[in-house]
Amino acid sequence: MTRGWRGGRWVFRLLLYLVAVALLAYLIYLFARLRQHVQALAERSGALQSRLDFEGLITAISTQFINLPPHQVDANMLRALERLGDYAAVDRSYIFLANADGTHLTNAYAWQRPGLEAQLLEGLPMAEFAWGLDQFKQHGYLHVPHPRAFPAEAVNERALFAQRNLQSLLCIPLHCAGKPIGFFGFSAVRAEKRWSNDDIALLRIVGEIFANALERKRAEAERETLEAQLRQSQKLEAIGTLAGGIAHDFNNILAAILGYGEMALNALPEDSRPRYHVRQMMTAGQRAKAVVDQILTFSRRGSRERQPVGLRALCEETLDLLRASLPATIEMQPRLAAGNVTVLGDSTQLQQVLMNLCTNAAQAMQGHGRLEVVLDTHALARPSTLSHGSLPAGAYARLRVGDTGPGMDEATLGRIFDPFFTTKEAGGGTGLGLSMVHGIVTDHGGVMDVRSEPGQGSTFDLYLPCAGGCAAEAVET
């Protein structure tokens, strides 16, 4: 009996031991689960805090760009890119904008982390970004978390990725009035970066903010340009009206001086000293008459009958005349691609325009350089604003005169069409040549686009409405 009781007690102790071990294991399991849960809560809390911080940054950037003056957009755009790039721990952030015809993307704003070698593109042909544009259309953004994410067909993008040692990329398109104007993006070169869908959604809001700010800046710049052009036109019209009235009166005085001079020449002996003096007076009078004619041409508007003028034939005839008068050290490069383009106008005045521009270019190059004369056609699908006027949509003949001279600074460029303004030395010019050119082109319904930088030469583009035979050859711009 005693032996049986002792055996039962041993079994009972064994059972108690097993239960204790099971309870201990269960407690260890509960502790592990509790720790895992705490860690998950901490991670979720950290992610939530990070999300709140990111939303706060987006809100701060949005507030910063509300009613921001256009002249402050550039500085604030760079600051916003820096804050976004630094927060996201990427190496570069940037904005690319499309050019007017949408064929190239140009790096407009850029930030990169200090200590990195600059690898940003200055320009990117849209054709090389074809796969990226498809991703924009399909998903509303382009996200490449690592180099292996590129499909086989993205050859150009893959090459650009490898060329710049990129590890990841995110691009958000910028739209204005439903039209794509570029994109802003982030790239990492030191480590891969994967963006969450929530972060991308927030960045697309930032893209809308950036696009609106850039559009306000562009609209303000266009408004200032149009106002400046209006003031210039009003000033030229007022000066032209005044100069025209004075020129008519002065022409009557010159007619009397030259008439009496002719009679004096007929009355004086052939080799007499007084006859020489009168002849010099007549020469000076003829020069004064030429100046008066220039003033009258500048002030005249729509007084001549317009007829179809073949520009190629006119350019060829004018360049033949110029070759005889220009120094042989000036290389002429005519490229008259438009064969049968015609405009409604006055052939004499148009020839005078080309002669004046080419002569000015030769004088600016001081007898050494390259003179380029280009005639082609353009069809504008939408209105375009140029340096000295705006063009409605339509077909135009473009006549370009370019030189390799010293160029002009911004101050000079703003006054080149002012009457009597000249950069030549005293006695070297009247300052009416370009004013006359501007008056003739405007009178023909055209617009001038002038580009020049110091040391880079000058280019004068004349856009004249086509009268016929132009649209078929036009290049869409």
Side-chain angles (χ1 to χ4, degrees), residues 326-408:
L326 296 182
T329 51
I330 291 182
E331 178 187 358
M332 294 185 64
Q333 292 186 343
R335 290 190 287 121
L336 310 179
N340 61 343
V341 59
T342 59
V343 299
L344 285 178
D346 185 286
S347 59
T348 302
Q349 287 186 340
L350 293 175
Q351 188 175 59
Q352 193 175 8
V353 166
L354 182 57
M355 289 281 289
N356 196 297
L357 290 177
C358 291
T359 302
N360 278 2
Q363 292 174 350
M365 293 186 289
Q366 298 180 351
H368 296 273
R370 184 175 67 254
L371 176 62
E372 181 185 50
V373 179
V374 179
L375 176 64
D376 55 17
T377 53
H378 282 256
L380 299 180
R382 55 183 178 273
S384 179
T385 300
L386 307 179
S387 67
H388 290 82
S390 298
L391 287 176
Y396 293 89
R398 183 183 68 173
L399 179 60
R400 168 175 293 177
V401 177
D403 64 67
T404 56
M408 296 175 283

